[in-house]
Amino acid sequence: MDYFPLTISETTDLYKSGKANAEDVVKSVLARIEELDKKLNAYIRVTGDLALKRAVEADKRIKSGDITPLTGIPIAVKDLICTKGIPTTCGSKILENYTPPYNATVIERLDSLGAIIIGKTNMDEFAMGSSTESSFFGITKNPHNLEYVPGGSSGGSAAAVAADLCITALGSDTGGSIRQPASYTGIVGLKPTYGRVSRYGLVAYASSLDQIGPLTKDVRDTAILLTAISGHDPRDSTSLDIEVPNYTEFLTGEVKGLKVGLPKEYFGEGLDSEVEKRIMEGVGVLEKGGAEVVEMSLPHTEYALASYYIIAPSEASSNLARYDGVRYGHRESSPDDGMIDMFRRSRSSGFGWEVKRRIMLGTYALSSGYYDAYYRKALQVRRLIRNDYDEAFKKVDVIAGPAAPAPAYKIGDKIEDPLSMYLVDIYTVTANLTGIPGICVPAGVSTAGLPIGLQLLSKPLNEGAILRAAYYFEKNRTADTPKPKL
């Protein structure tokens, strides 16, 4: 039997019934990776031997009756989440040979529950990108059409889930890097509230925006994985010390009384007509289920992208200063002209084009004489955007809209035009600027057969509301998103 198409909950049910064991499931997934990853390049590294060893341990645990919702579940991990003894490259040459001596908190939590890391997935270098075209380890392709991008920067994790090269995956979301690839590949992706999931062991891109989150085959799996990785961590000073609910309890199958906001700014110029049609069909499904749809406004939305592309590169320029070839990262050999020249040559050869662009943007924005004009102003705009959402969530429980302005685009189409690539983040960056949670759920496909996702946002720590709405929509949606034909 092929076990790779299963969800987390389906796999666990088989374990509990004794109809499958973890070793067979891992072998099935590894065979799928062997067959298809040469086409997709979703993985930077597959940890087959380690996964089989962990599967044997998981089977012993299951036989003893000590089974959790994640015991024996093969999970792919984005390659900027530290894994002890397994290289963590961030998709960059500069960390090509870095092997962390410790696990990220999320990995510790998954380990304690018996989950099995099946491999580390491809990504835009240091999570900077929206297409997974900027990885040092090559481009990841969209399983629905190999000529198209899978989105980014968690494109490897998204492609792996969509193509059944794992049961589930972890990604990170700095400006939409979970929700946008989820939309492009037809899977579920959730960005949690800032502070809900520990960032300890997540290699930083932009510290005030980064969040780890799940990429899964259905909403129930998202709730299971979110419950597992959430919670306070004293090693992360931004971690929230608030009790974690069992998020599966929000999957009630009803939305009666839920207030769903439709911001007029999300449905204007630049939105593809097929995407708009699918989103409105999705809102109609929620309304038919008893939700109340409310038209509303988020007046500072037009400034979100500009604000994001000042704040994120500024934080990146600071975070990436550590990679100088001495303290961290790749070092150019045989420096002849002293230490400064060695720094320059190591960073020049170690970083790719998009990372260098953002470091220069951030360094400029933070420089003397420009800090007030750019960085401080961007922070003030961020506060205005947060005020918009605070006011909105006094009136509605959930905000609905697209995750991306159009379906996936062809590989190479935007690589020479960074501004047009930045624009695909226009509907996702506000959740990171404001710290609110957001989920993307498959809402059908375009006439070209490319997936389209419905995004749902809510106030901080209200993941339950978006899971409730997403689960209802998933069970009652009118448009299917077929599995990729590979």
Side-chain angles (χ1 to χ4, degrees), residues 199-409:
R199 291 184 298 110
Y200 179 78
L202 173 71
V203 179
Y205 160 22
S207 305
S208 75
L209 306 166
D210 297 335
Q211 271 293 275
I212 297 172
L215 292 122
T216 65
K217 297 175 184 176
D218 67 13
V219 175
R220 179 170 294 281
D221 280 7
T222 293
I224 291 170
L225 196 48
L226 181 63
T227 304
I229 63 175
S230 295
H232 180 241
D233 178 9
R235 294 174 296 189
D236 174 1
S237 62
T238 61
S239 174
L240 298 172
D241 191 3
I242 296 172
E243 186 178 355
V244 179
N246 180 348
Y247 286 108
T248 60
E249 294 177 356
F250 292 96
L251 311 181
T252 60
E254 61 84 22
V255 289
K256 190 174 182 180
L258 197 74
K259 290 187 177 179
V260 179
L262 276 185
K264 64 180 183 181
E265 290 81 5
Y266 283 18
F267 296 91
E269 185 181 354
L271 180 61
D272 181 274
S273 59
E274 287 191 295
V275 173
E276 182 172 4
K277 180 184 175 187
R278 293 299 182 204
I279 299 309
M280 293 312 296
E281 286 174 355
V283 172
V285 169
L286 297 175
E287 189 171 27
K288 194 174 179 182
E292 179 186 350
V293 177
V294 180
E295 293 188 3
M296 52 175 287
S297 176
L298 296 168
H300 294 97
T301 298
E302 64 177 303
Y303 307 114
L305 209 56
S307 168
Y308 174 83
Y309 276 102
I310 294 293
I311 294 171
S314 295
E315 294 186 14
S317 70
S318 175
N319 280 325
L320 270 61
R322 75 191 72 172
Y323 304 109
D324 55 14
V326 177
R327 290 170 294 178
Y328 294 97
H330 160 82
R331 177 189 294 189
E332 280 291 295
S333 60
S334 303
D336 298 324
D337 299 321
M339 185 174 64
I340 300 299
D341 185 61
M342 187 273 290
F343 287 169
R344 181 183 62 77
R345 291 192 297 111
S346 296
R347 287 168 66 82
S348 295
S349 65
F351 289 132
W353 46 269
E354 184 60 32
V355 172
K356 290 175 186 172
R357 179 183 291 125
R358 297 195 192 197
I359 288 174
M360 287 191 286
L361 280 170
T363 304
Y364 180 79
L366 292 176
S367 62
S368 176
Y370 296 98
Y371 177 93
D372 287 337
Y374 294 103
Y375 187 66
R376 186 185 297 278
K377 187 67 69 179
L379 293 180
Q380 290 169 337
V381 172
R382 181 181 194 170
R383 182 67 254 180
L384 293 175
I385 295 169
R386 175 61 187 259
N387 290 346
D388 285 351
Y389 279 92
D390 287 346
E391 286 301 311
F393 289 125
K394 290 177 183 175
K395 302 169 186 170
V396 301
D397 302 300
V398 168
I399 292 174
Y409 50 90

Side-chain angles (χ1 to χ4, degrees), residues 107-136:
I107 301 300
E108 287 182 353
R109 289 178 175 165
L110 293 176
D111 272 350
S112 71
L113 296 171
I116 299 168
I117 296 173
I118 199 82
K120 304 295 291 290
T121 53
N122 204 3
M123 55 180 284
D124 282 305
E125 186 179 7
F126 281 102
M128 298 180 193
S130 304
S131 63
T132 314
E133 291 176 284
S134 70
S135 171
F136 175 66

Side-chain angles (χ1 to χ4, degrees), residues 45-90:
R45 187 177 306 276
V46 179
T47 52
D49 291 341
L50 182 62
L52 287 168
K53 182 180 175 184
R54 291 279 294 166
V56 172
E57 295 169 3
D59 282 331
K60 290 178 182 175
R61 184 170 176 169
I62 292 167
K63 283 182 181 176
S64 72
D66 178 20
I67 182 170
T68 77
L70 286 169
T71 306
I73 302 298
I75 180 168
V77 176
K78 187 176 181 179
D79 205 26
L80 82 169
I81 298 173
C82 287
T83 42
K84 185 178 180 180
I86 303 172
T88 299
T89 70
C90 298

Side-chain angles (χ1 to χ4, degrees), residues 15-34:
Y15 290 159
K16 286 180 178 176
S17 67
K19 294 178 180 176
N21 62 56
E23 192 172 357
D24 287 342
V25 171
V26 167
K27 286 179 178 175
S28 178
V29 172
L30 289 173
R32 179 77 168 175
I33 295 171
E34 177 68 23

